[in-house]
Amino acid sequence: MTAAGRRWVVLLAAVLAVGLAARLGFWQLDRAAQKRAWQAALDQRGALPPLAAAELAVAPAQAEGQLHRRVLLRGRWLADRTVFLDNRPMNGRVGFYVLTPLQLENRAEAVLVQRGWVARDERQLAQVPALRSSADPVEVSGRLAASPSRAFELPAPASGAIRQNLSSAAYAQEIGRPLLPLTVIQQADAADDGLLRDWPVPQAGLQKHYGYAFQWFALAALFLGLYVWFQLVRPRLRSP
């Protein structure tokens, strides 16, 4: 290949490399814009007045529009149906997320409530902690999520009080009671029952996309700088 041919090949490679890196940078900025809109919608929903039990959706398609809304519900705990989600650390400690169905007042359905976190006895791994659950009507405030917290699960879904994950639809069939296609994440202003509720705040992850965009644009600038140095500046410095 002639010297002129090599220069054209290097130029084409440089243009492709700079163009691809820049395109990926703009794609990350576009993803950040989408996430920013999602975060704004989430914040807007969270600022709306709390939903009452009568307003909660029964159909999954309708439930989608109620996610992240605040709720204020009254009902009775179905304490004998409590499930403990395993491998859920909080504040650096090992423990369970506690899930209990709440039988809503004036409705045939119940709703799963992720009530809080409780420590696990590491000396007796198969034993579940004792909970303070009133048989009287309780008032629960929280926000709506599509499902309880999920963790990686290798084997088939387990049964019993201790589980890795829980599906509302499958659990409704298991207990023979209708459950709404929503989960209430109970908030920290609830009654004192010994459970921790330091839930992570839902975030769109904007900084991650901005960081990736900066890396791609920096890489594009690096490719361009290398081309200019080795193909334009350095040959001129070497020439007599």
Side-chain angles (χ1 to χ4, degrees), residues 22-213:
R23 178 67 185 89
L24 290 172
F26 284 115
W27 177 68
Q28 287 294 338
L29 290 180
D30 184 60
R31 291 285 295 153
Q34 295 175 21
K35 291 290 186 70
R36 189 165 56 247
W38 178 85
Q39 184 72 55
L42 186 152
D43 294 340
Q44 184 180 28
R45 287 187 184 185
L48 294 173
L51 293 170
E55 300 174 276
L56 296 182
V58 177
Q62 297 172 335
E64 183 72 22
Q66 295 183 342
L67 297 182
H68 307 292
R69 288 287 303 272
R70 292 181 296 138
V71 291
L72 184 60
L73 309 174
R74 283 185 59 83
R76 296 178 184 270
W77 294 121
L78 303 178
D80 60 329
R81 301 299 188 182
T82 296
V83 172
F84 296 82
L85 297 185
D86 200 3
N87 297 319
R88 299 305 200 276
M90 184 171 284
N91 298 332
R93 300 172 61 194
V94 177
F96 302 101
Y97 281 0
V98 180
L99 283 174
T100 304
L102 179 73
Q103 179 58 57
L104 299 169
E105 283 189 348
N106 304 318
R107 288 198 65 158
E109 302 90 357
V111 63
L112 272 179
V113 180
Q114 189 168 301
R115 298 171 56 188
W117 178 91
V118 64
R120 183 174 196 169
D121 188 347
E122 297 186 23
R123 297 167 299 179
Q124 302 183 51
L125 297 179
Q127 180 175 329
V128 297
L131 301 176
R132 299 198 297 266
S133 294
S134 173
D136 299 326
V138 295
E139 191 171 83
V140 175
S141 63
R143 63 176 178 82
L144 294 175
S147 62
S149 163
R150 294 195 61 81
F152 181 71
E153 187 174 21
L154 279 175
S159 58
I162 299 178
R163 310 190 188 194
Q164 192 71 10
N165 294 300
L166 190 68
S167 163
S168 298
Y171 197 54
Q173 294 183 351
E174 181 180 333
I175 65 177
R177 184 183 293 267
L179 291 175
L180 295 178
L182 292 160
T183 298
V184 177
I185 310 297
Q186 192 170 359
Q187 297 302 297
D189 57 356
D192 181 18
D193 51 13
L195 300 176
L196 295 181
R197 299 183 179 90
D198 296 332
W199 308 119
V201 178
Q203 294 290 338
L206 292 177
Q207 297 306 317
K208 175 185 69 176
H209 293 290
Y210 287 134
Y212 289 155

